[in-house]
Amino acid sequence: MSEEQERPPVFGSWRRLYWAVGLYLVAVIVLFSIFTRVFNR
Amino acid sequence: MRPLDWAVLAVSLAGIVLYGLWRGRGSDTTQKYLLAGKTMPWYAMALSIMATQASAITFISTTGQSYVDGMRFVQFYFGLPLAMIIIAAYVAPRFHASGVYTAYEYLERRFDARTRALVSVIFLIQRGLAVGVALSAPALVLTVIMGWPAEVTTLLMGLTVIGYTVSGGIAAVTWTDFVQMLVMTLGLVAALATALWLSPVDLGGALQVAGAAGRLNPAVWTFDLNDRYNVWSGVIGGMFLALAYFGCDQSQVQRYLTGKSIAQAKLSLLFNAVAKIPMQFFILFIGAMVFVFFTFTKPPVVFDPGVQAKAEQAAGYEAVEREFNVAWTARKAAAEALPGTEAEFKAAQKAMDVARAKAATLAGHEGFNDTNYIFLSFVTKYMPVGVVGLIMAAIFAAAMSTISAEINSLATVSVIDVYRRHMKKEADDGHYLRASRWATGFWGLYAVVTAQYATNLGSLIEAVNMLGSLFYGGLLGVFGLAFFFPRVTGRGAFYGVLLGEAAIFATRFGTEITFLWFNVIGCVVVIVSGVVISSIGRRIGRPVG
């Protein structure tokens, strides 16, 4: 297996890992929006 | 600072320096000195990348920014995960596979020598300006705490960093970054725990007070080109800035060029994609909790001790102080009666801000900014013994990790892209190794000298980001051309960068558009003009590149 094809330790492939990070960002923004709405006056 | 604080600070710093010297031993070739022999594991690179970005400014200024403006600054990092995905997928593999020492070396392989030279010079100017700011922040700390002259502090700090960076090269820098990041994390946890512990209200009450003051606003959806921090500028502008910083700035690129494989480099980047936003949220939350603390404990009228002392000497200060005290008492009463007294709380806050501005005006500092002094004032006056030393160690660790990476990368570009490429092309490896050590020492001393001028730039973190934004758009645009536009020529890339920089400076000095958008504008202008110039060159049939 070449260096480029070496698999990440989680999610099985780089493509899926990138998607996971992207979804994580969406989740963070949603959580921060909820946090702002609940606590900020 | 008491003896235990000094002991904690001294042991932490000595430990970091000795560890760096030990880890950097054996850097006896140029490749080992500048790229650690490409042996670094992902976790060392990941924490090194994080430590390099988290400077002393992050501790000192970000917490203060949250105190005065709330947590909305965290949105600045919303684009970072997207940038990291792009860099991990497209940029890091190409840099690694091409076996380059610097990002700019890659540009010559793709375009030509003059494009590489132009971009290298832009990096040297931009990073050379920023390194002084990074070094001046801890000088500010010691000036406030001990009254040491800033010149002495920057010299001591600079010489310490120069010592292990010159000796061990990037291996020493990366492994000290690793330890420094751990010290920083400890310092952050200690700061938040102490701020909460010292506040007379529990976490729920603290959230209520900070929320009433509008300090708990990590997501603001209002779209405004002139507003620095909202979700839109964070995701779009922040992504462009992070792409430029992590993908084109040698101080970061060099971290993941040391990886033992492409996969290890990618993992280090993706770790930052996940960890950076929570870390910034945590730091800003500390600032919000410091605000809560000063809701129940009377703060100084102005946090900058110099401005405060001048104001106290001025005629009319007593009246301003009375005004401030009345407003603070009203704010405290409103906070204790929350919920239901938000309007009173905000009115009292406004009155305090007016009194603070009046005091600063009396001191001759109209339009003052004491953001950088808020956290330090809290730490030195209210933190328990031992914790002060730990937080000081964290601030120093943050400063050292950033400065060491910056002088190391400046030296690398100076030697690889300028000296070896244009001045002495055929020399043995030992010669370039010695040149790299000399260049590291030179840039370290340069940082010490320029730091003297950096202490009057207002909020330091914004000053650094502002400086970066004047040049990053051009850098990002040319790398965008290199990676994604195979038909663009060297001529197109070279003039594209010049036009892009012209557009950024015109935007900066001719409009009110906030700096986060400079990268977007510069990058787009470079790419469009690079493509057009290359296309014109082909159409008129002239040899290009």
Side-chain angles (χ1 to χ4, degrees):
Chain A
M1 189 180 284
S2 75
E3 273 196 344
E4 183 65 28
Q5 290 166 327
E6 191 182 331
R7 286 189 178 180
V10 287
F11 293 103
S13 75
W14 290 106
R15 183 180 289 266
R16 265 183 274 177
L17 181 53
Y18 298 148
W19 273 107
V21 173
L23 289 173
Y24 162 81
L25 173 64
V26 172
V28 164
I29 295 175
V30 169
L31 281 173
F32 281 7
S33 299
I34 294 169
F35 181 90
T36 304
R37 182 161 287 205
V38 170
F39 293 111
N40 206 51
R41 298 276 173 260
Chain B
M1 295 236 299
R2 285 155 284 185
L4 180 61
D5 294 317
W6 282 111
V8 170
L9 178 60
V11 168
S12 305
L13 296 186
I16 288 169
V17 171
L18 290 174
Y19 183 68
L21 290 171
W22 177 67
R23 277 292 193 169
R25 72 199 189 287
S27 297
D28 52 6
T29 67
T30 310
Q31 208 237 16
K32 283 182 186 170
Y33 189 75
L34 299 179
L35 294 180
K38 286 191 172 278
T39 57
M40 285 294 165
W42 73 268
Y43 52 89
M45 289 185 286
L47 292 198
S48 178
I49 288 169
M50 196 175 246
T52 297
Q53 200 200 13
S55 64
I57 295 164
T58 305
F59 273 79
I60 295 168
S61 198
T62 307
T63 41
Q65 204 157 351
S66 175
Y67 183 99
V68 296
D69 191 38
M71 297 177 69
R72 65 196 191 112
F73 178 65
V74 74
Q75 298 167 110
F76 182 74
Y77 295 92
F78 281 177
L80 189 144
L82 300 175
M84 288 306 200
I85 292 170
I86 295 169
I87 295 167
Y90 298 104
V91 179
R94 293 190 195 200
F95 282 156
H96 253 274
S98 61
V100 293
Y101 280 86
T102 74
Y104 318 124
E105 201 178 347
Y106 181 83
L107 289 178
E108 180 166 1
R109 299 189 185 183
R110 170 64 184 83
F111 296 123
D112 52 26
R114 69 174 175 174
T115 305
R116 174 185 178 183
L118 174 66
V119 174
S120 302
V121 168
I122 288 175
F123 169 77
L124 290 173
I125 293 171
Q126 176 238 6
R127 195 42 64 193
L129 288 169
V131 71
V133 175
L135 186 55
S136 71
L140 201 68
V141 180
L142 284 187
T143 305
V144 170
I145 297 169
M146 295 180 295
W148 283 14
E151 296 80 11
V152 175
T153 313
T154 48
L155 194 65
L156 282 175
M157 189 76 200
L159 290 179
T160 309
V161 172
I162 290 167
Y164 71 80
T165 310
V166 169
S167 161
I170 198 161
V173 171
T174 302
W175 285 110
T176 49
D177 283 355
F178 182 81
V179 181
Q180 283 157 347
M181 197 59 226
L182 299 179
V183 173
M184 277 186 251
T185 307
L186 268 178
L188 286 171
V189 171
L192 180 61
T194 316
L196 285 171
W197 177 57
L198 291 174
S199 285
V201 288
D202 61 11
L203 181 61
L207 288 171
Q208 204 161 48
V209 172
R215 298 319 193 247
L216 301 181
N217 52 350
V220 179
W221 286 88
T222 317
F223 181 78
D224 181 356
L225 276 176
N226 301 327
D227 179 23
R228 286 180 180 175
Y229 309 121
N230 55 55
V231 171
W232 308 103
S233 65
V235 172
I236 302 168
M239 183 184 77
F240 276 74
L241 181 58
L243 273 173
Y245 179 57
F246 293 101
C248 316
D249 188 314
Q250 180 64 17
S251 71
Q252 283 294 358
V253 172
Q254 201 166 345
R255 316 294 97 206
Y256 54 85
L257 282 179
T258 62
K260 57 184 168 187
S261 71
I262 294 172
Q264 296 284 306
K266 286 179 173 184
L267 282 176
S268 70
L269 291 163
L270 294 176
F271 174 84
N272 276 273
V274 173
K276 188 67 190 174
I277 296 176
M279 183 191 161
Q280 287 298 327
F281 180 90
F282 196 75
I283 294 171
L284 288 160
F285 193 68
I286 292 170
M289 291 304 105
V290 171
F291 177 87
V292 173
F293 172 79
F294 280 123
T295 301
F296 299 100
T297 302
K298 195 161 80 65
V301 179
V302 178
F303 283 98
D304 182 336
V307 176
Q308 174 69 26
K310 272 192 204 168
E312 284 170 9
Q313 304 298 319
Y317 176 74
E318 288 79 7
V320 171
E321 191 180 27
R322 269 197 303 277
E323 199 180 308
F324 180 83
N325 289 344
V326 168
W328 176 75
T329 307
R331 189 180 74 170
K332 183 167 178 264
E336 283 164 349
L338 282 169
T341 51
E342 284 84 0
E344 290 85 347
F345 187 96
K346 282 195 167 76
Q349 177 65 52
K350 202 171 176 183
M352 282 178 72
D353 292 339
V354 169
R356 273 161 52 75
K358 281 183 187 171
T361 307
L362 285 177
H365 286 261
E366 208 165 338
F368 83 114
N369 184 347
D370 62 354
T371 309
N372 300 324
Y373 296 87
I374 295 168
F375 184 61
L376 298 179
S377 179
F378 170 70
V379 168
T380 52
K381 285 183 188 149
Y382 300 102
M383 287 256 173
V385 63
V387 179
V388 177
L390 178 62
I391 291 171
M392 287 302 139
I395 291 173
F396 274 89
M400 288 160 73
S401 61
T402 303
I403 298 157
S404 61
E406 291 187 354
I407 63 174
N408 179 252
S409 61
L410 283 162
T412 305
V413 172
S414 303
V415 172
I416 300 296
D417 294 311
V418 179
Y419 184 69
R420 193 177 75 172
R421 177 64 184 80
H422 297 285
M423 295 164 79
K424 196 165 179 72
K425 290 184 180 176
E426 305 293 336
D428 59 48
D429 190 68
H431 178 83
Y432 294 121
L433 178 62
R434 284 192 297 280
S436 300
R437 289 189 199 277
W438 277 107
T440 307
F442 164 79
W443 281 110
L445 292 175
Y446 167 87
V448 171
V449 172
T450 52
Q452 314 304 324
Y453 302 98
T455 47
N456 296 318
L457 289 174
S459 176
L460 292 168
I461 194 162
E462 289 193 9
V464 170
N465 289 330
M466 186 87 76
L467 275 175
S469 291
L470 287 177
F471 298 101
Y472 276 149
L475 289 183
L476 184 57
V478 75
F479 278 98
L481 289 173
F483 289 131
F484 302 112
F485 295 87
R487 299 189 69 194
V488 167
T489 61
R491 185 190 300 265
F494 182 81
Y495 289 107
V497 173
L498 293 180
L499 289 170
E501 281 302 316
I504 292 169
F505 277 82
T507 308
R508 168 67 182 83
F509 296 105
T511 73
E512 293 294 314
I513 293 174
T514 187
F515 71 90
L516 263 180
W517 294 100
F518 296 172
N519 304 299
V520 185
I521 293 165
C523 179
V524 168
V525 172
V526 172
I527 287 175
V528 170
S529 52
V531 169
V532 169
I533 292 167
S534 302
S535 171
I536 291 170
R538 277 194 303 275
R539 281 179 187 215
I540 61 176
R542 289 173 53 193
V544 290

